[in-house]
Amino acid sequence: MERPSAKAPTVEGKMYHIMLGPGEIPPYVLLPGDPGRIDDIVATWDEWRELAFHREYRSVKGRYKGVEIGAVSTGIGGPSTAIAVEELARIGVHTFIRVGTTGAIQPDIELGTVIIGYAAVRYDGASGEYAPPEYPAAATPEVVLALVEAAERLGVPYRVGVVASTATFHLGQSRPGFRGYEWSRSRERLADLQRMGVLSFEMEAATIFTLASLYGLRAGCVCAAIANRVTDEFKPGVGVREAILVANEAVRILAEADREKGRKPASITTLYNAVRKLYG
Ligand code: URA
């Protein structure tokens, strides 16, 4: 029997937190925060089965339109998300798509709009353990393009831009704390980001983008705007099904492209042509 290691903890060959072993989950994985959202995800697949449910990490695998796909809940925020990405990378996952919810900070973003993040402001905390603040949290261009293509195909209203990932839901997103507590940074963050053109707040994308980029893996993010902080609207659940469908379809697009090119990175010309097609 293998001697247990404190440096790289496993239990009977499985990753200590997610409780999955090498090859158990397909290499294309959706990452919702909420374990309960796994039910919404598998409801859109042709078939599925649960692999593990340990702490906040609920893992499933299945098929969407014939393509093998997995999903693992990360829990809320950077620290638990970093653990999920670390352990999934070790067991062979190469493509991560966060699918969740977000709070819009631009006045013209309607509730239910799907936000595709191509980069994230790194207020998540966890990514600071991996790289200095100057290191960008950028999504993988081919994943962003696949998400955009998927939204177009499905006729889902979407916006593409920068999101801000925060370490907390309240002060980190300019919501007053208990008894109205705030300080200058928490009060001013929303207006500052709005002036910078940032689209929305969420809590995991920066961690996923940073780790994937450092490890040469691929990542993207698609979130339903369930809140608008400018108009003070809030509708839990709106647009979530659409965000899930976009994520599924993006996996199908990426898996097909990978099969054709043997998982070589898309050439600059391919990306250039795709961007030109999208933005004219
Ligand atoms: N998720 C967030 O992180 N913030 C919101 O306002 C809504 C969803």
Side-chain angles (χ1 to χ4, degrees), residues 82-154:
I83 290 172
V85 174
E86 280 287 353
E87 295 191 352
L88 288 168
R90 285 164 165 74
I91 60 168
V93 172
H94 57 57
T95 302
F96 300 87
I97 299 185
R98 160 155 164 70
V99 50
T101 59
T102 192
I105 61 172
Q106 298 296 338
D108 61 334
I109 298 179
E110 287 181 20
L111 296 196
T113 303
V114 150
I115 309 275
I116 297 169
Y118 65 66
V121 183
R122 287 178 52 201
Y123 291 140
D124 59 311
S127 67
E129 301 283 349
Y130 283 80
E134 294 81 6
Y135 187 89
T140 311
E142 60 192 292
V143 180
V144 177
L145 290 169
L147 288 164
V148 169
E149 172 81 33
E152 290 275 345
R153 274 188 197 175
L154 297 167

Side-chain angles (χ1 to χ4, degrees), residues 24-26 45 47-49 51 59-62 68-70:
E24 259 193 88
I25 194 157
W45 292 356
E47 57 178 59
W48 68 281
R49 76 181 168 88
L51 300 172
S59 306
V60 290
K61 70 183 249 186
E68 278 218 307
I69 186 168

Side-chain angles (χ1 to χ4, degrees), residues 76 98 100-104 164 166 168-169 173 175 201-204 224-229 234:
I76 296 178
R98 160 155 164 70
T101 59
T102 192
T166 62
T168 65
F169 183 79
Q173 298 187 4
R175 290 184 176 93
F201 281 128
E202 58 78 67
M203 297 181 68
E204 293 83 19
I226 60 158
N228 187 305
R229 298 294 305 287
F234 178 53

